[in-house]
């Protein structure tokens, strides 16, 4: 059984077996629908119009789906190693539909995609087009179908999509003429369908062309919702069956990423899709996804319309990896590893007593997680379970770790050099052939090239390094007892790890690619090696500074130690904790950041320059949670050290002066900061609180341009979000453009505070419109969750601007009260002054802020911004 599992894995490498299964299923399907006994309106017979390819993510299911579509579309689309089908491609109408959430798919788009594929036939589908037109006008009133198709990208994907509206109109016109209602257009489609239903019920000869469609009248009378639309696909199947024999085609509909239609509890979307499969028996469906389809299981009755082995004989469950097939046609094909659900199914069915699984659910969960879907691991786990049980002991979770047998079975037919490369790359998360050769210390690529072709090596062509070991194989090689003759000693592993760390350093500094993706890839793997083998930091110091230099904060593996249960022992431990903490702070409360970085600082394990890094970012986190005095002390410590973060720390001190209202000091400091101290951002932060958002926007623009010149995407996004914020005080229309650019720059970046700045900018843009309360409450909650206390006053100031524009004195009083509470420690105290300035209220207890041009001028500028916004709103009513 184990050998058969491995053989099945190897058979997938060129996907020939999967293609042959599809060809066999489609050949059988074409023979069925060509039989005189076939009736497209038969809704009771079992369905054989489906084939399923399932397996874990990243093993090429989508590629397989695309290859099948291409092979069915034209002769040149078939890969060389695949056998060409015997039936003519002119009889096949393939359409592939990606169900992944990223594609923006919904049920309407699924149905439209199928109909657009049929548009290539150049003729109306009268029964279906009537139902579709009725659905469209009911659910999209006033929205032309052409515009929807264009906006959704369907016009560009389907070359004949432009013909669909004309074909639908032709169908309407033909029916209108048959009912002596010439000139009928879409605006009276309801009247037309009502008349048609009456004619069908009365069996009038004038509509005999549609009278043969048994369910047309019922569908046209039903409420035009998604449920009805799903049933309407049966009408499309009927229309296709009415084509002359010489023009008749067989649709092949490929649903990819099927796991994304829902989970195995929420099946609403799945139910609609299953309905299409059942109601279009003359179409063949090729479904690819992570999980096998459970439609042939009786216990799904009630969740789906048609279930059980009698309905879907080709989908009958079986034990994965066994010799038995899923029903007579074997329509469920395992592609690569098992999904977690199928692992559990395998373990449940392999060992059972009286119909109940012998391995309990909790232990099955542990084995499944540790198997990473590898069938061989599951078989070894089953044997281990039986062996322990025969000894009289109850199997426990700890009994199922790394199996030494995995090593012997993996390396049994490898050459000596291939074994050496295999052990070397087990140190890496991912590798290329070149990287593997250098890490192994070999002079030639031959062994790495041969190893890359093995079935336990997975390939991701889009990855930085395309290859990686199957996780279970890697874990076994690294951790299990190795009884082979050429096993490595601990010193061998240590030398290999040192060699791998050096090679990664060269890959980052001197490799063919010199971009951030390489930095992150090398840093992730290098940190893991340094930590696991207690290696010197070497190039990791410079890489760490490159990592923080752009403020993008990609998550780094390995995860940091749990500081509550594991002490930091080495400099590598401390560096991993530092960088992991900086990345995690985008997703957790800043107080946690302070605690973790304090642990690093107190450990004194890092060299001076990295120690300063931990102190500096702890100072930033302290500022974020409102502990200003401690923050200033941290910044000053870094400045006094004179290291490479000293200029950034001087910016922190300048910003601290701004928070305290010492604007002249901030202005003077900005002149000395330069690019490294982000001087333009400091100036922008200073100008807008003076009531000069135009000058602030200009400074932020200059800062963004500087950041782009230095290829610092994180800083560019931050400056742009702040530019949007300052512009939003001045001109809502321009703020739209600035926010759009900010969103583009933020895409793919992990910058929580910057994203909140953009959200505040959007509030300011919409100030004066009485619909902001919910957004304000949501942002307050987000700031609380993130621990970004220092941003809360800015959010309340945005609320004050909105309320001043509305002249809502009651709400403004509450906001000023919140501002007073938030600024009681002294920082941002002048925000309360600004709130009074905005509303033109007398200020009895001014803050100690030292306005650059005095309080009166600042008051006038803020009041002008409010009155200008009122005028803007009135002018747009």
């Amino acid at each position: 059984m184990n050998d058969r599992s491995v053989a099945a894995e190897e058979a997938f490498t060129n996907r020939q077996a999967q293609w042959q299964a599809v060809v066999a299923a489609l050949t059988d399907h074409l023979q069925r629908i060509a039989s005189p006994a076939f009736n497209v309106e038969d809704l009771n017979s079992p369905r054989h119009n489906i084939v399923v390819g399932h397996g874990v993510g990243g093993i090429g299911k989508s590629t397989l789906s695309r290859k099948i579509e291409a092979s069915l579309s034209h002769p040149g689309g078939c890969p060389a190693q695949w056998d060409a089908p015997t039936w003519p491609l002119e009889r096949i109408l393939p359409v592939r539909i990606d169900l992944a959430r990223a594609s923006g798919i919904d049920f309407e788009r699924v149905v439209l995609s199928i109909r657009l594929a049929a548009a290539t036939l150049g003729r109306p589908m009268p029964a279906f087009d009537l139902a579709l037109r009725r659905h469209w006008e009911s659910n999209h009133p006033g929205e032309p179908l052409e515009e929807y198709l264009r906006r959704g990208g369907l016009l560009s994907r389907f070359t004949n999509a432009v013909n669909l509206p004309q074909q639908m109109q032709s169908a309407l016109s033909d029916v209108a003429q048959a009912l002596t209602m010439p000139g009928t257009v879409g605006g009276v489609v309801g009247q037309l369908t009502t008349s048609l239903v009456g004619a069908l019920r009365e069996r009038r000869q004038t509509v005999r062309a549609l009278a043969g469609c048994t369910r047309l009248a019922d569908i046209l009378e039903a409420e035009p919702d998604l449920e009805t639309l799903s049933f309407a696909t049966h009408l499309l199947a009927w229309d296709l069956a009415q084509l002359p024999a010489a023009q008749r085609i067989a649709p092949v509909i490929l649903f990819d990423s099927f796991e994304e239609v829902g989970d195995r509890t929420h099946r609403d979307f799945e139910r609609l899709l299953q309905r299409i499969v059942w109601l279009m028996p003359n179409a063949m469906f090729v479904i690819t996804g992570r999980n096998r389809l459970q439609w042939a299981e009786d216990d799904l009755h009630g969740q789906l319309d048609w279930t059980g082995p009698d309905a879907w004989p080709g989908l009958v469950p079986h034990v994965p990896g066994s010799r038995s097939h899923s029903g007579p046609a074997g329509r469920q094909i395992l592609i690569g590893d098992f999904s977690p659900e199928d692992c559990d199914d395998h373990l449940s069915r392999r060992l059972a007593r009286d119909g109940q699984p012998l391995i309990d659910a909790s232990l099955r969960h542990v084995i499944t997680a540790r198997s990473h879907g590898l069938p061989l691991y599951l078989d070894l786990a089953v044997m281990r379970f039986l062996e322990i049980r025969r000894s009289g002991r109850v199997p426990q979770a700890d009994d199922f770790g790394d199996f030494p047998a995995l090593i012997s079975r993996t390396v049994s037919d490898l050459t000596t050099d291939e074994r050496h490369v295999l052990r070397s790359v087990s140190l890496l998360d991912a590798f290329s052939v070149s990287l593997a050769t250098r890490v192994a210390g070999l002079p030639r690529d031959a062994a790495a090239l041969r190893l890359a072709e093995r079935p336990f090596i997975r390939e991701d062509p889009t990855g930085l390094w395309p290859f990686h070991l199957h996780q279970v194989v890697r874990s076994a090689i690294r951790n299990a007892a190795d009884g082979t003759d050429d096993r490595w000693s601990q010193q061998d592993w240590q030398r290999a790890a040192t060699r791998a760390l050096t090679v990664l350093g060269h890959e980052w500094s001197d490799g063919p690619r010199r971009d951030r993706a390489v930095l992150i890839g090398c840093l992730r793997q290098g940190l893991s090696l340094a930590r696991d083998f207690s290696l010197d930091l070497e190039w990791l110091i410079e890489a760490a500074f490159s990592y923080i230099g752009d403020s993008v904060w990609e998550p780094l593996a390995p995860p940091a130690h749990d500081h509550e249960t594991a002490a930091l022992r080495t400099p590598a431990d401390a560096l991993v904790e530092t960088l992991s903490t900086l990345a995690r702070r985008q997703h957790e409360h800043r107080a946690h950041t302070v605690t973790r970085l304090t642990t690093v600082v107190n450990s004194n394990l890092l060299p001076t320059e990295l120690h300063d890094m931990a102190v500096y970012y702890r100072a930033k986190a302290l500022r974020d949670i409102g502990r200003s005095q401690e923050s200033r002390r941290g910044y000053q410590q870094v400045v006094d050290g004179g290291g490479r973060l000293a200029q950034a720390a001087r910016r922190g001190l300048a910003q601290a002066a701004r928070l305290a209202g010492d604007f002249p000091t901030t202005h003077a400091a900005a002149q000395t900061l330069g690019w490294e101290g982000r001087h333009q951002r400091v100036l922008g932060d200073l100008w807008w609180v003076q009531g000069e958002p135009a000058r602030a926007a200009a400074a932020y623009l200059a800062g963004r341009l500087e950041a782009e010149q230095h290829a610092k995407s994180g800083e560019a996004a931050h400056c742009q979000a702040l530019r949007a914020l300052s512009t939003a005080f001045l001109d809502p229309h321009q703020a739209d453009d600035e926010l759009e650019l900010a969103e583009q720059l933020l895409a793919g970046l992990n910058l929580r505070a910057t994203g909140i700045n953009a959200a505040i900018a959007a509030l300011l843009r919409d100030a004066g419109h009485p619909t902001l309360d919910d957004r304000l409450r949501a942002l307050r909650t987000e700031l609380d969750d993130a621990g970004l206390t220092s941003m809360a006053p800015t959010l309340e100031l945005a609320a004050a601007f909105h309320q001043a524009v509305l002249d809502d004195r009651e709400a403004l009083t509450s906001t000023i009260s919140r501002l007073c509470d938030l600024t009681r420690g002294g920082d941002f105290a002048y925000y309360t002054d600004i709130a009074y300035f905005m509303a033109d209220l007398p200020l009895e207890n001014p803050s100690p802020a030292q306005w650059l041009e005095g309080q009166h001028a600042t008051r006038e500028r803020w009041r002008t911004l409010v009155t200008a916004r009122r005028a803007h709103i009135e002018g747009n009513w």
Side-chain angles (χ1 to χ4, degrees):
M1 183 177 295
N2 295 332
D3 291 337
R4 287 197 295 275
S5 297
V6 174
E9 185 73 17
E10 292 174 346
F12 177 64
T13 54
N14 63 13
R15 301 174 176 84
Q16 174 75 356
Q18 287 74 36
W19 168 245
Q20 289 175 345
V22 171
V23 170
L26 186 50
T27 301
D28 175 71
H29 174 72
L30 293 174
Q31 292 172 350
R32 287 179 186 275
I33 63 176
S35 168
F38 176 76
N39 179 6
V40 74
E41 292 194 290
D42 178 6
L43 301 188
N44 298 314
S45 297
R47 290 300 188 252
H48 303 275
N49 60 331
I50 186 171
V51 62
V52 180
H54 63 104
V56 297
I59 50 98
K61 298 183 297 297
S62 294
T63 300
L64 175 63
S65 179
R66 286 190 290 267
K67 286 291 185 183
I68 293 172
E69 180 191 32
S71 301
L72 296 176
S73 298
H74 53 87
C78 192
Q81 68 268 33
W82 287 7
D83 298 325
T86 56
W87 19 258
L89 292 179
E90 300 81 42
R91 294 185 57 195
I92 306 300
L93 181 65
V95 53
R96 180 176 175 274
I97 301 172
D98 185 359
L99 298 171
R101 295 184 183 93
S103 68
I105 198 71
D106 58 25
F107 187 71
E108 281 189 343
R109 286 174 63 88
V110 169
V111 174
L112 282 172
S113 296
I114 298 172
R115 177 60 183 92
L116 288 169
T120 59
L121 301 175
R123 55 190 299 160
M125 299 286 127
F128 176 80
D129 288 352
L130 282 166
L132 177 58
R133 185 61 176 265
R134 181 168 178 265
H135 171 88
W136 194 260
E137 294 201 0
S138 176
N139 292 276
H140 299 267
E143 181 180 16
L145 179 59
E146 300 92 319
E147 178 59 29
Y148 179 88
L149 297 176
R150 183 178 296 106
R151 189 175 66 252
L154 293 174
L155 283 180
S156 59
R157 181 185 170 198
F158 296 92
T159 56
N160 290 283
V162 293
N163 299 328
L164 177 57
Q166 291 87 341
Q167 292 176 11
M168 292 175 64
Q169 188 58 44
S170 175
L172 290 172
S173 299
D174 290 345
V175 173
Q177 187 170 359
L179 295 171
T180 66
M181 299 173 63
T184 293
V185 294
V188 290
V189 70
Q191 178 185 347
L192 178 65
T193 54
T194 299
S195 299
L196 174 60
V197 169
L200 291 171
R201 300 289 191 206
E202 296 166 9
R203 296 182 172 82
R204 296 183 206 165
Q205 286 298 308
T206 54
V207 291
R208 61 181 178 275
L210 293 173
C213 186
T214 306
R215 297 174 180 86
L216 176 58
D218 293 336
I219 290 173
L220 291 179
E221 284 184 315
E223 181 70 21
D225 54 17
L226 289 181
E227 294 284 323
T228 301
L229 183 62
S230 67
F231 283 106
T233 56
H234 173 69
L235 304 181
L236 180 57
W238 184 86
D239 285 323
L240 292 170
Q242 308 315 303
L243 295 174
Q247 301 178 21
R248 202 164 295 166
I249 52 90
V252 177
I253 300 169
L254 299 103
F255 287 144
D256 191 26
S257 303
F258 201 81
E259 73 276 2
E260 295 218 34
V261 305
D263 55 36
R264 292 188 170 184
T265 301
H266 303 91
R267 298 180 181 267
D268 294 341
F269 196 3
E270 184 180 1
R271 187 182 70 255
L272 297 175
L273 295 176
Q274 190 208 51
R275 201 171 284 161
I276 295 179
V277 179
W278 188 271
L279 296 175
M280 297 188 70
N282 52 349
M284 185 71 194
F285 291 82
V286 180
I287 295 178
T288 45
R290 294 195 178 186
N291 305 316
R292 65 177 178 83
L293 286 189
Q294 297 177 302
W295 296 355
E297 298 182 12
D298 285 319
D299 56 7
L300 262 68
H301 181 70
Q303 296 185 63
L304 300 174
D305 294 336
W306 293 276
T307 59
D310 293 334
W312 307 97
L315 304 182
V316 174
H318 69 291
V319 178
S322 70
R323 292 188 182 274
S324 63
H325 294 288
S326 300
R331 295 296 176 83
Q332 298 242 43
I333 308 164
L334 175 65
I335 302 176
D337 291 338
F338 295 166
S339 69
E341 292 85 353
D342 286 339
C343 288
D344 187 79
D345 181 72
H346 178 94
L347 295 170
S348 298
R349 294 172 182 273
R350 280 288 302 277
L351 297 177
R353 173 190 289 170
D354 300 328
Q356 296 300 314
L358 202 58
I359 306 176
D360 65 62
S362 61
L363 187 54
R364 293 200 308 271
H365 178 77
V366 170
I367 296 173
T368 292
R370 294 174 182 172
S371 76
H372 290 272
L374 187 68
L376 175 56
Y377 185 98
L378 298 177
D379 287 335
L380 291 171
V382 166
M383 289 188 288
R384 171 75 60 84
F385 181 91
L386 291 173
E387 178 184 354
I388 294 172
R389 195 168 178 273
R390 280 195 295 267
S391 72
R393 186 166 62 83
V394 177
Q396 303 295 320
D398 290 343
D399 296 319
F400 301 89
D402 296 299
F403 291 109
L406 273 170
I407 300 178
S408 58
R409 296 190 187 195
T410 300
V411 306
S412 60
D413 61 342
L414 300 182
T415 66
T416 300
D417 280 351
E418 287 170 358
R419 293 184 182 204
H420 183 70
V421 176
L422 176 64
R423 291 187 172 96
S424 298
V425 298
S426 72
L427 294 166
L428 303 176
D429 298 326
F431 59 92
S432 63
V433 168
S434 172
L435 192 66
T437 299
R438 286 181 286 144
V439 169
L442 296 178
R444 293 181 299 276
D445 287 340
L449 285 168
R450 293 194 302 270
L451 188 73
E453 297 173 356
R454 295 286 178 167
F456 51 78
I457 301 292
R458 304 305 165 87
E459 182 175 7
D460 176 9
T462 64
L464 175 62
W465 300 294
F467 303 110
H468 63 275
L469 273 178
H470 190 289
Q471 186 59 39
V472 171
V473 175
R474 182 187 181 200
S475 180
I477 292 172
R478 287 284 303 274
N479 303 314
D482 188 348
T484 58
D485 292 340
D486 60 347
R487 61 186 177 274
W488 279 8
S489 69
Q490 185 56 46
Q491 288 72 26
D492 290 328
W493 282 108
Q494 192 72 22
R495 284 190 289 267
T498 302
R499 187 169 58 242
L501 183 63
T502 300
V503 169
L504 287 169
H506 286 305
E507 184 84 356
W508 169 54
S509 60
D510 303 313
R513 283 181 57 177
R514 299 294 303 279
D515 55 26
R516 190 164 179 88
V518 175
L519 165 67
I520 298 304
C522 291
L523 192 55
R524 284 174 176 164
Q525 303 211 79
L527 286 171
S528 178
L529 288 166
R531 189 185 73 174
D532 293 347
F533 291 89
S534 300
L535 302 178
D536 293 337
L537 296 181
E538 300 179 351
W539 60 270
L540 291 171
I541 296 175
E542 195 62 36
F545 277 97
S546 293
Y547 171 74
I548 68 170
D550 197 20
S551 303
V552 176
W553 313 120
E554 300 92 336
L556 290 174
H561 284 301
D562 184 345
H563 68 282
E564 295 177 355
T565 59
L568 303 179
R569 300 177 296 103
T570 67
D573 285 337
L575 181 56
V576 167
E577 176 72 357
T578 299
L579 297 183
S580 297
T581 298
L582 296 185
R584 286 201 307 269
R585 70 194 174 119
Q586 304 299 324
H587 307 285
E588 64 183 16
H589 199 283
R590 288 296 200 269
H592 298 312
T593 305
V594 170
T595 300
R596 290 180 172 127
L597 290 179
T598 297
T599 300
V600 172
V601 170
N602 292 342
S603 73
N604 289 311
L605 288 168
L606 291 174
T608 300
E609 51 194 339
L610 290 177
H611 184 84
D612 281 353
M613 181 188 294
V615 172
Y616 171 75
Y617 281 101
R618 182 178 64 172
K620 286 173 65 73
L622 286 165
R623 180 204 64 194
D624 289 338
I625 61 176
R627 291 161 62 178
S628 302
Q629 293 302 319
E630 295 170 82
S631 173
R632 291 184 181 92
R633 285 196 293 272
Y635 286 137
Q636 191 62 57
Q637 180 181 339
V638 176
V639 170
D640 293 343
R644 66 173 84 187
L645 288 175
Q647 200 71 338
R650 290 188 182 95
R651 179 182 74 243
L653 291 174
Q655 296 286 40
R658 175 180 60 83
L659 301 187
D662 187 356
F663 303 132
T665 296
T666 303
H667 186 263
Q671 315 310 311
T672 67
L673 291 175
W675 153 249
E676 288 188 356
R678 308 300 192 257
H679 60 136
Q680 294 291 359
R681 175 147 58 91
V682 173
L683 286 172
D685 293 346
L686 177 64
W687 289 128
W688 77 259
V689 297
Q690 309 300 313
E692 297 193 70
R695 293 183 71 178
Y700 290 133
L701 175 59
R704 192 196 80 208
L705 294 175
E706 282 187 340
E708 290 170 346
Q709 290 168 4
H710 289 83
K712 300 298 184 184
S713 57
E715 178 64 19
H718 192 56
C719 285
Q720 181 58 34
L722 290 170
R723 175 172 166 79
L725 187 148
S726 56
T727 303
F729 281 113
L730 281 170
D731 185 344
H733 293 310
Q734 184 184 351
D736 278 336
D737 297 334
E738 303 298 346
L739 277 167
E740 182 178 358
L741 178 57
E743 290 170 1
Q744 292 173 8
L745 296 179
L746 278 167
L749 302 183
N750 194 13
L751 298 173
R752 189 173 192 178
T754 304
I756 294 175
N757 274 331
I760 295 174
L763 284 175
L764 288 167
R765 175 200 60 193
D766 299 334
H769 297 279
T771 57
L772 302 188
D773 288 348
D774 288 343
R775 289 161 61 186
L776 280 165
R777 281 192 291 271
L779 278 174
R780 287 183 185 119
T781 299
E782 185 171 358
L783 289 174
D784 288 342
D785 292 343
L788 292 169
T789 305
S790 63
M791 296 185 70
T794 304
L795 176 60
E796 297 305 329
L797 192 65
F801 182 72
H802 165 65
Q803 292 151 3
V805 170
L806 291 175
D807 197 22
D808 186 346
R809 296 299 178 90
E810 182 178 352
L812 182 61
T813 299
S814 297
T815 298
I816 290 175
S817 177
R818 280 194 296 272
L819 274 172
C820 289
D821 290 339
L822 289 169
T823 61
R824 201 175 303 281
D827 285 352
F828 296 106
Y830 54 88
Y831 273 17
T832 304
D833 298 0
I834 295 174
Y836 279 97
F837 297 164
M838 288 174 176
D840 199 22
L841 294 173
L843 181 60
E844 297 179 359
N845 298 301
S847 73
Q850 303 171 50
W851 304 103
L852 293 179
E853 296 184 15
Q855 184 188 115
H856 179 74
T858 307
R859 171 186 282 272
E860 289 299 315
R861 284 194 293 266
W862 277 111
R863 183 59 182 169
T864 298
L865 290 172
V866 170
T867 56
R869 176 59 59 87
R870 287 179 182 173
H872 172 83
I873 294 173
E874 292 170 358
N876 285 277
W877 280 353

